[in-house]
Amino acid sequence: MITIVDYKVGNLGSIQNMLKKIGTPSEITSDPNKISSATKLILPGVGAFDSGIENLKKYNLWSVLNEKVITEKIPVLGICLGSQLLCESSEEGKEKGFGWIKAKVKKFEFENKSFKVPHIGWNYTTLQKNSKLFEDMYEDPKFYFVHSFYMDVKDESSLTKTNYNFNFDSSVEKDNIIGVQFHPEKSHKFGMKLLENFVKHF
């Protein structure tokens, strides 16, 4: 059973549907008691950094997530905004992130006007280190992105890079903590395989 954290930001149904396609049961909940008994977590999210942090605290999820991830070390997969919340801070707001990953979240800014913000659409990923998350992945894995901000990682947790005028960190992995800037639930066979690997290996 995978527990999908509901803190009222984004459509969680598409993630649950993708998990259903790979035969993995899941539960969407904002109940701290249910999250406290979770064995594997997905932290999704769409929208602004500060709103995400504020909602996690509003629904009494901040402390229980820290307990589960840092103390109990259960696997967590952050998706899109959820991956950014794993970081220390964001140029988008004033709130502090979880700080589980040593990284800052920065805004895309381009002098070259052919690169639009937000970065929307399919793009490739390049592995920076071996990971079971990408085990038996299809050749030239590409994923669907929708974001105006990106993770700038300062430690060895960078897992993949993606090029959009420059190479940015598109996913991270540190022990039991994984974050992906892209949307696996919108990435067809590539996203399905990534979620299968998360379920199987973490």
Side-chain angles (χ1 to χ4, degrees):
M1 172 73 76
I2 288 188
T3 301
I4 303 170
V5 181
D6 180 9
Y7 58 112
K8 313 306 178 186
V9 286
N11 175 22
L12 313 187
S14 56
I15 297 172
Q16 190 171 51
N17 287 339
M18 183 67 92
L19 290 170
K20 186 176 181 180
K21 285 182 181 179
I22 63 173
T24 299
S26 62
E27 176 183 40
I28 297 172
T29 183
S30 56
D31 184 345
N33 292 322
K34 289 184 177 180
I35 291 171
S36 69
S37 62
T39 56
K40 196 167 293 188
L41 292 165
I42 291 181
L43 182 67
V46 175
F49 188 90
D50 278 7
S51 295
I53 297 296
E54 289 164 2
N55 277 18
L56 286 171
K57 293 178 179 178
K58 175 182 176 181
Y59 293 102
N60 298 314
L61 302 176
W62 182 264
S63 296
V64 69
L65 287 172
N66 269 304
E67 173 71 20
K68 296 298 291 183
V69 174
I70 299 304
T71 304
E72 297 184 26
K73 296 193 178 302
I74 71 162
V76 61
L77 171 63
I79 296 175
C80 196
L81 175 62
S83 71
Q84 296 178 2
L85 300 182
L86 310 180
C87 302
E88 296 167 302
S89 63
S90 173
E91 290 182 351
E92 188 178 16
K94 297 179 180 179
E95 295 285 346
K96 295 294 186 184
F98 281 110
W100 301 335
I101 300 293
K102 189 175 181 181
K104 308 289 186 184
V105 178
K106 297 184 176 180
K107 182 177 176 60
F108 280 126
E109 293 182 303
F110 304 117
E111 291 184 9
N112 184 345
K113 299 305 179 185
S114 64
F115 288 91
K116 305 299 184 184
V117 180
H119 169 215
I120 299 177
W122 290 86
N123 209 336
Y124 293 97
T125 55
T126 303
L127 270 174
Q128 303 302 296
K129 59 185 179 182
N130 291 329
S131 171
K132 290 187 178 296
L133 191 67
F134 281 78
E135 185 174 89
D136 298 325
M137 183 63 73
Y138 303 96
E139 189 174 352
D140 296 326
K142 58 183 179 179
F143 298 91
Y144 191 80
F145 291 81
V146 184
H147 62 123
S148 300
F149 293 79
Y150 64 94
M151 296 178 287
D152 183 20
V153 178
K154 301 300 184 183
D155 60 16
E156 296 179 352
S157 60
S158 178
L159 179 56
T160 63
K161 297 276 191 181
T162 292
N163 187 271
Y164 190 62
N165 192 47
F166 63 91
N167 289 325
F168 69 90
D169 298 295
S170 52
S171 68
V172 294
E173 180 182 336
K174 182 180 178 181
D175 302 322
N176 58 309
I177 301 164
I178 297 167
V180 295
Q181 181 61 67
F182 48 80
H183 287 272
E185 77 280 8
K186 297 179 180 179
S187 299
H188 305 320
K189 66 178 184 179
F190 302 100
M192 190 176 295
K193 185 61 179 175
L194 184 139
L195 288 173
E196 283 180 354
N197 285 339
F198 176 67
V199 171
K200 179 180 179 182
H201 296 302
F202 293 88

